[in-house]
Amino acid sequence: MKHDQYNNTSDPSHSIMIKDGTRLHDLYGNQALINSFHHQAIKDVAPGFEVSAWAKDGVIEAIEKQGEQFVVGVQWHPEMMAKEHTSMLKLFKLFMEHVQQTATKKVNI
């Protein structure tokens, strides 16, 4: 599977499988189509993180930090897809919701 895309940057290049119980699963369900522009991949996940999505060839495509903090790392470029594939905006919207919640908590202290 190629993880270096030569087509239009907004076009999906392959699908990913998404782990149940993760933030990405809440947004996209069991699978999503993504664009891919990487030649490196995660080999080992640090303690406190979990793999939340992977390609069919086993390459890790996303990780998340366990707990309340919003830490999601993706190996694709949702910002390049968002205009034509509005479902990619969900990730940015979720991030902004967490930023607003965090800011509200700090103001109320």
Side-chain angles (χ1 to χ4, degrees):
M1 174 177 282
K2 290 188 103 179
H3 290 274
D4 193 9
Q5 181 171 327
Y6 296 103
N7 299 332
N8 185 342
T9 58
S10 65
D11 291 341
S13 57
H14 65 84
S15 64
I16 56 171
M17 294 156 289
I18 304 172
K19 182 179 177 182
D20 289 342
T22 62
R23 287 187 168 100
L24 288 178
H25 188 270
D26 291 344
L27 295 176
Y28 301 113
N30 293 324
Q31 291 188 2
L33 291 171
I34 63 161
N35 58 357
S36 196
F37 300 97
H38 58 89
H39 63 276
Q40 298 176 326
I42 295 171
K43 180 180 175 187
D44 299 311
V45 180
F49 286 83
E50 66 178 326
V51 175
S52 56
W54 58 95
K56 290 181 182 179
D57 62 2
V59 169
I60 295 170
E61 292 286 353
I63 61 171
E64 297 182 21
K65 188 171 191 317
Q66 299 164 349
E68 290 186 27
Q69 284 184 305
F70 186 88
V71 180
V72 176
V74 298
Q75 276 280 77
W76 69 92
H77 292 272
E79 75 281 2
M80 292 179 180
M81 297 181 72
K83 186 174 181 181
E84 293 183 33
H85 304 276
T86 56
S87 67
M88 287 296 148
L89 289 173
K90 292 178 182 180
L91 185 57
F92 297 106
K93 288 178 181 178
L94 182 62
F95 172 70
M96 291 308 300
E97 287 173 17
H98 281 270
V99 168
Q100 288 174 333
Q101 290 171 1
T102 302
T104 301
K105 286 179 185 177
K106 288 184 179 180
V107 169
N108 291 331
I109 295 177

